[in-house]
Amino acid sequence: MGFPSCYSWCLSWKGIVCIFSLPFIFSGFTLKKSKEHLISGEVKPQLTQNRFNWSHLTPFELKNRSVGLQAESRAESTPYFTLGGHKFRIFGGSIHYFRVPREYWRDRLLKLKACGFNTVTTYVPWNLHEPQRGAFDFSENLDLEAFVLMAAEIGLWVILRPGPYICSEIDLGGLPSWLLQDSNVRLRTTDQGFVEAVDKYFDHLIARVVPLQYHQGGPIIAVQVENEYGSFDKDKYYMPYIQQALLKRGIVELLLTSDAKTEVLKGYIKGVLAAINIEKFQNDAFEPLYNIQKNKPILVMEYWVGWFDKWGDEHNVKDAQDIENTVSEFIKFEISFNVYMFHGGTNFGFINGATNFGKHKSITTSYDYDAVLTEAGDYTEKYFKLRKLFGSVLALPLPHLPELTPKAVYPSMRPSFYLPLWDVLQYLNEPVISDKPINMENLPINSGNGQSYGFILYETVICSGGELHADVQDTAQVFLNETSIGILDDADHQYLNIPKVRGCQRLRILVENQGRVNFSWKIQDQRKGLTGSVTINNTPLEGYTIYSLEMKMSFFERLRSATWRPFRSSYLGPAFYICTLRAGSSPKDTFLRLLDWNNGFVFINGRNLGRYWYIGPQETLYLPGTWLHPGDNEIILFEKRKSGSYIQTSINPSFKIVS
């Protein structure tokens, strides 16, 4: 996003913020009316001259940890939170550690603190932390404990949202795909198969979380029980089960639930603080909270300052003035809140989720979210408005603004070599031989855990043409030998006419998992690949060779020994393309532009940057400078349909207008 000229001037002077026109905001309030008047709109705040002074309420200043975050209520006073016995209000912002390169965690957290926030919230993605049953990963970019401790070091409290389901526009809402192997397991219920898996995961996860709690000297002041269960509401015993699962493993901090206003009554647990998710300030939005907990303070767990993008839809943008006005209302009415997202980051690799409200739509690689910080961590108009607002109500000056992460434009890159997919099959792991198609999750690979992400190729032999039908999730390219003959998907193209063939030919079906639905009951039915029989003229085809294309780092290491072909710009069909990005001696962030390419993925030094797709709205891929080496860097594209010519770079992201 471009800044007005005054922002550019401001950023050239560290620690100086431009003066913007802003409605006068009172520095402190004591409400003498109850929440009934907030709901009715009759409230009239009584002003005080006190500013918020939280200098003694930071993780390293607050030494006495006997009393954690609590809800208090006294006569003639609006209910409020206390921390360590001191009156406290949550000014929170969401940053997901798994969507931000670890090397940039500190930068993003410092910018959160410099804006005036006192709390960071984050989800914990089960699917990334336990990619295979019993095999846990909390290393490198998934080092939850390091992220939480870094927040404490910077002076931020933490609200943890450990799931097991998190939504978050991530694949399957953060649930691991291996849960789908048994079609009888009912996700997000007390079904034995599901809660047994949750218990084993929580045994490992919560043991890591317990030492990070407030009462043990850590920064975690609250923990959320599951996520938005009111929108699901399939099992009345489920939420109490998750609550007890947290308690018996040692969680002692304040527990809360989080739901949209129309689902609050379905998702809350008696005795647990109910929080609300809203798009804008409306008096009646808080009525459900008042109905179930009139003597507790209001917490907006998700105030949506932007929204996520889907491929083929418009880029979402929200007005900065509206955001400022709403946060001003929160402050005026003594409401604690969490901005979702403060910094969205990126759906690197294959982790993006999807929606399906009649049609499957994949979430874009960028999770910019039109958030307070951009995908690359740059300041926005929203940032400066909120910083000025918070500065007007806080007793102490805000920290200096951290410098922007430098960007660079690199020379355009033209691929030097390419490999058709058919040449690559020999470098994959051994294929699976089966009489019938097998969906991704049930492939007998990865120690019995199946395939989570990427592509899957089915090969069989046909000796006649006719009407081909297949149950495909999500989209498939169909080939006779190496010639493309059409597309199959789960919506508009479920049938394809196979032309008359001479002799017997090899039928190939390349299926892409474009992201599992992350919201709604449809999470139950998110198996990918071919999910049923394949027929020609209603006759089932048998005898398949099935290749898994997960495109892990080890796969690209094997490709180095392949015999690549000299690049040609007119190749049609799925293929890999290799080129070199020359980053110089000091690599910097950049954005890749693939203007005349069609649809595929980009890998930089073996790391998956994510999906590009000509349909937009996202037109660039964020490339963190910290993932570049000084000098030459290997870029490999997997292009599904047709080769482009050049890859360009830019210092700014780009979003197209989708008609």
Side-chain angles (χ1 to χ4, degrees), residues 483-504:
T483 303
S484 175
I485 58 173
I487 300 294
L488 291 171
D489 60 34
D490 57 352
D492 304 323
H493 305 95
Q494 296 182 340
Y495 295 88
L496 180 65
N497 185 55
I498 303 292
K500 186 176 180 179
V501 298
R502 292 184 178 181
C504 293

Side-chain angles (χ1 to χ4, degrees), residues 49-78:
Q49 298 303 313
N50 297 323
R51 289 172 175 258
F52 300 124
N53 185 353
W54 291 319
S55 58
H56 60 298
L57 297 178
T58 60
F60 286 120
E61 293 294 331
L62 194 54
K63 302 298 185 183
N64 185 346
R65 298 302 185 92
S66 60
V67 182
L69 185 68
Q70 293 186 338
E72 301 282 351
S73 178
R74 297 179 182 177
E76 296 300 311
S77 173
T78 299

Side-chain angles (χ1 to χ4, degrees), residues 291-453:
N291 289 337
I292 58 175
Q293 52 184 35
K294 62 179 64 177
N295 293 322
K296 291 185 178 179
I298 293 173
L299 171 59
V300 176
M301 192 57 205
E302 291 186 13
Y303 166 47
W304 300 316
V305 297
W307 202 247
F308 58 89
D309 287 342
K310 301 183 290 292
W311 289 111
D313 283 4
E314 292 287 342
H315 175 52
N316 285 289
V317 176
K318 289 188 71 173
D319 183 71
Q321 187 62 55
D322 291 343
I323 306 306
E324 178 198 337
N325 292 343
T326 294
V327 175
S328 297
E329 293 295 294
F330 292 156
I331 294 173
K332 182 169 68 176
F333 289 109
E334 300 190 1
I335 294 171
S336 286
F337 61 90
N338 174 62
V339 165
Y340 191 98
M341 295 289 298
F342 173 77
H343 171 54
T346 309
N347 289 316
F348 293 116
F350 297 117
I351 71 170
N352 67 274
T355 64
N356 192 330
F357 299 101
K359 184 176 182 179
H360 185 280
K361 289 196 172 184
S362 179
I363 308 299
T364 59
T365 299
S366 172
Y367 199 66
D368 179 86
Y369 211 88
D370 195 37
V372 180
L373 282 186
T374 70
E375 179 181 11
D378 293 335
Y379 301 116
T380 67
E381 184 181 2
K382 292 176 185 176
Y383 186 96
F384 290 117
K385 284 184 176 294
L386 291 182
R387 178 175 158 91
K388 183 172 176 62
L389 172 60
F390 293 155
S392 72
V393 300
L394 296 174
L396 296 178
L398 291 173
H400 290 305
L401 285 173
E403 294 184 14
L404 290 175
T405 306
K407 312 291 188 301
V409 174
Y410 297 106
S412 295
M413 295 157 277
R414 181 177 174 84
S416 49
F417 299 97
Y418 82 107
L419 269 178
L421 174 61
W422 325 119
D423 291 4
V424 169
L425 301 183
Q426 61 183 305
Y427 299 100
L428 299 174
N429 292 327
E430 284 295 315
V432 173
I433 307 300
S434 173
D435 288 339
K436 297 179 180 180
I438 304 174
N439 58 283
M440 274 189 180
E441 297 76 9
N442 288 101
L443 278 182
I445 62 174
N446 294 324
S447 303
N449 290 277
Q451 178 180 342
S452 295
Y453 312 111

Side-chain angles (χ1 to χ4, degrees), residues 179-359:
L179 289 168
L180 297 170
Q181 290 182 320
D182 184 351
S183 60
N184 294 318
V185 171
R186 298 173 71 246
L187 306 180
R188 301 184 73 192
T189 70
T190 51
D191 180 276
Q192 183 177 359
F194 183 70
V195 295
E196 283 182 356
V198 171
D199 284 339
K200 291 176 182 177
Y201 169 56
F202 270 15
D203 285 344
H204 191 93
L205 170 66
I206 304 306
R208 293 174 177 271
V209 171
V210 165
L212 302 173
Q213 294 181 103
Y214 173 92
H215 280 82
Q216 297 207 26
I220 296 176
I221 56 174
V223 176
Q224 185 173 301
V225 183
E226 235 260 4
N227 188 59
E228 298 175 321
Y229 197 73
S231 301
F232 201 74
D233 193 28
K234 296 291 183 181
D235 184 341
K236 67 179 180 180
Y237 302 107
Y238 175 68
M239 287 292 281
Y241 184 93
I242 298 300
Q243 176 195 13
Q244 291 303 314
L246 294 170
L247 292 175
K248 72 182 184 181
R249 288 171 174 82
I251 296 298
V252 298
E253 307 305 337
L254 180 77
L255 295 180
L256 59 95
T257 60
S258 175
D259 289 284
K261 71 173 185 177
T262 55
E263 281 84 37
V264 166
L265 298 180
K266 300 176 185 177
Y268 91 106
I269 310 166
K270 188 175 181 180
V272 172
L273 180 75
I276 195 167
N277 304 335
I278 59 176
E279 182 179 9
K280 58 184 177 181
F281 185 92
Q282 292 176 308
N283 290 333
D284 63 355
F286 307 105
E287 187 170 359
L289 294 179
Y290 178 73
N291 289 337
I292 58 175
Q293 52 184 35
K294 62 179 64 177
N295 293 322
K296 291 185 178 179
I298 293 173
L299 171 59
V300 176
M301 192 57 205
E302 291 186 13
Y303 166 47
W304 300 316
V305 297
W307 202 247
F308 58 89
D309 287 342
K310 301 183 290 292
W311 289 111
D313 283 4
E314 292 287 342
H315 175 52
N316 285 289
V317 176
K318 289 188 71 173
D319 183 71
Q321 187 62 55
D322 291 343
I323 306 306
E324 178 198 337
N325 292 343
T326 294
V327 175
S328 297
E329 293 295 294
F330 292 156
I331 294 173
K332 182 169 68 176
F333 289 109
E334 300 190 1
I335 294 171
S336 286
F337 61 90
N338 174 62
V339 165
Y340 191 98
M341 295 289 298
F342 173 77
H343 171 54
T346 309
N347 289 316
F348 293 116
F350 297 117
I351 71 170
N352 67 274
T355 64
N356 192 330
F357 299 101
K359 184 176 182 179

Side-chain angles (χ1 to χ4, degrees), residues 75-96:
E76 296 300 311
S77 173
T78 299
Y80 55 90
F81 288 112
T82 60
L83 185 63
H86 305 277
K87 196 169 183 180
F88 182 71
R89 200 177 307 175
I90 297 165
F91 283 18
S94 289
I95 302 174
H96 299 154

